[in-house]
């Protein structure tokens, strides 16, 4: 059922605004009158075509932290056994941000109309990227949507935590398979020098080209931020990594040892 945003006057002449669900604008106005409100403006929140919906949200609604918080809220509601439509309704009612409320109302309307949650999310690609939607689709198919949303919230918070520890300008790259991070890396630029840090690949995904994709993505970003040189460090006995970096143009500058107290 479509959602409509409205502006109306109550019996005391005070302005009210919010959202109602109705089959059409006429029915939405009828609902408002039944609540002793005088409708001033009623307009549809949801457009039929995804490109029209996307144009409504030209700027991001969620920042990184906001998306992680919203995802965890969804995980808690769905994981507690609440139907998806009611979980979305609860988040619409709780939202204090008008643009976020409008977006979630759109998602609820899509779900109410019969769309899977992942398909509803695809109408807002600025907010929910391919990986996010793939994770949700997998959760819906497996019947474990609450669990996968909780894991997704963990991943989003971990990325934000790492990004906060990096100097600015900084970038964080991740390579994912099946909704799971298999390789990560980070870079920061100071002047014209870029540092590459935190290059990690899970053991079962090594030697599959993931680190190469991460490194090249970080180097492209560094060049876009005026870096002309880059440095990194690697364990001397990590032969595959040394070979990778040499193939990408890195040369050994120095070798050092360190002591660890036991």
């Amino acid at each position: 059922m479509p959602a409509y945003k409205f502006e109306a006057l109550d019996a005391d002449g005070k302005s009210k605004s919010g959202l109602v669900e109705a089959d059409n604008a006429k029915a939405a106005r009828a609902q408002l009158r039944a609540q002793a409100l005088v409708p001033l403006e009623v307009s549809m929140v949801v457009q039929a075509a995804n490109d029209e919906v996307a144009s409504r949200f030209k700027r991001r609604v969620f920042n990184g932290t906001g998306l992680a918080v919203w995802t965890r809220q969804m995980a808690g509601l769905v994981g507690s056994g609440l139907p998806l439509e009611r979980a979305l309704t609860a988040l619409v009612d709780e939202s204090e941000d008008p643009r976020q409320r409008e977006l979630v109302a759109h998602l609820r309307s899509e779900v109410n109309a019969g769309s899977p949650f992942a398909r509803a999310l695809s109408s807002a690609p600025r907010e929910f990227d391919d990986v996010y939607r793939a994770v949700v689709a997998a959760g819906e198919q497996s019947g474990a949507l609450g669990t996968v949303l909780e894991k997704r919230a963990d991943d989003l918070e971990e990325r934000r935590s790492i990004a906060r520890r990096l100097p600015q300008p900084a970038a964080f790259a991740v390579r994912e398979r099946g909704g799971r991070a298999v390789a990560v890396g980070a870079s920061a630029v100071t002047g014209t020098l870029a540092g590459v840090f935190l290059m990690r690949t899970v053991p079962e995904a090594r030697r599959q080209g993931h680190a190469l994709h991460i490194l090249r993505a970080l180097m492209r970003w560094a060049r876009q931020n005026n870096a002309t040189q880059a440095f990194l460090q690697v364990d001397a006995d990590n032969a595959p990594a040394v070979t990778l970096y040499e193939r990408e143009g890195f040369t050994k500058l120095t070798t050092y040892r360190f002591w660890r107290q036991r």
Side-chain angles (χ1 to χ4, degrees):
M1 184 178 294
Y4 291 83
K5 63 180 180 180
F6 69 85
E7 292 185 11
L9 297 178
D10 64 13
D12 297 324
K14 295 181 180 179
S15 178
K16 300 287 186 180
S17 61
L19 294 167
V20 295
E21 288 187 344
D23 291 329
N24 51 50
K26 182 178 179 180
R29 292 189 182 93
Q31 283 190 41
L32 296 174
R33 293 189 184 99
Q35 299 172 33
L37 296 174
V38 178
L40 301 176
E41 181 179 351
V42 175
S43 58
M44 184 183 288
V45 171
V46 182
Q47 301 294 332
N50 284 352
D51 56 347
E52 292 177 341
V53 173
S55 68
R56 181 179 293 275
F57 303 105
K58 293 181 179 179
R59 294 183 295 107
R60 291 287 300 272
V61 174
F62 293 111
N63 59 23
T65 300
L67 182 58
V69 170
W70 186 85
T71 302
R72 194 170 299 284
Q73 290 174 326
M74 277 295 298
L77 292 170
V78 174
S80 69
L82 201 64
L84 182 58
E85 298 91 334
R86 290 182 60 190
L88 290 167
T89 296
L91 293 183
V92 169
D93 295 340
E94 292 177 5
S95 176
E96 298 180 356
D97 183 288
R99 297 181 68 246
Q100 185 179 129
R101 187 164 57 246
E102 187 173 348
L103 172 62
V104 181
H106 157 66
L107 297 178
R108 178 184 60 186
S109 295
E110 291 289 296
V111 170
N112 284 342
S115 291
F117 190 31
R119 184 181 299 170
L121 296 176
S122 69
S123 64
R126 289 178 181 269
E127 310 301 324
F128 310 103
D129 60 19
D130 292 342
V131 172
Y132 194 109
R133 299 195 302 270
V135 168
V136 168
E140 288 184 293
Q141 293 171 7
S142 66
L145 182 58
T147 300
V148 299
L149 284 172
E150 187 75 30
K151 179 63 169 63
R152 190 62 187 161
D154 290 341
D155 291 342
L156 291 169
E157 289 177 352
E158 183 177 1
R159 290 192 202 181
R160 295 293 296 175
S161 176
I162 292 173
R164 283 194 295 267
R165 295 199 298 268
L166 294 173
Q168 298 295 325
F172 179 74
V174 61
R175 184 94 164 159
E176 297 188 344
R177 285 293 178 268
R180 175 173 177 258
V182 296
V184 298
S187 180
V189 173
T190 302
T192 59
L193 184 63
V196 178
F197 313 98
L198 304 173
M199 292 288 291
R200 300 288 186 275
T201 303
V202 298
E204 61 269 26
R206 290 173 182 167
R207 302 191 182 187
Q208 297 177 24
H210 299 305
L212 176 61
H213 283 278
I214 292 289
L215 180 62
R216 288 181 175 175
L218 293 174
M219 290 298 93
R220 285 194 299 271
W221 172 87
R223 286 192 292 270
Q224 291 169 359
N225 284 270
N226 304 316
T228 58
Q229 294 180 300
F231 74 92
L232 51 78
Q233 62 182 19
V234 59
D235 290 340
D237 59 356
N238 189 346
V242 171
T243 299
L244 167 65
Y245 298 140
E246 289 179 343
R247 190 169 63 241
E248 292 300 298
F250 287 85
T251 58
K252 184 170 73 173
L253 180 64
T254 186
T255 301
Y256 69 91
R257 300 173 181 270
F258 64 89
W259 294 88
R260 177 181 299 169
Q261 186 176 9
R262 294 182 179 178

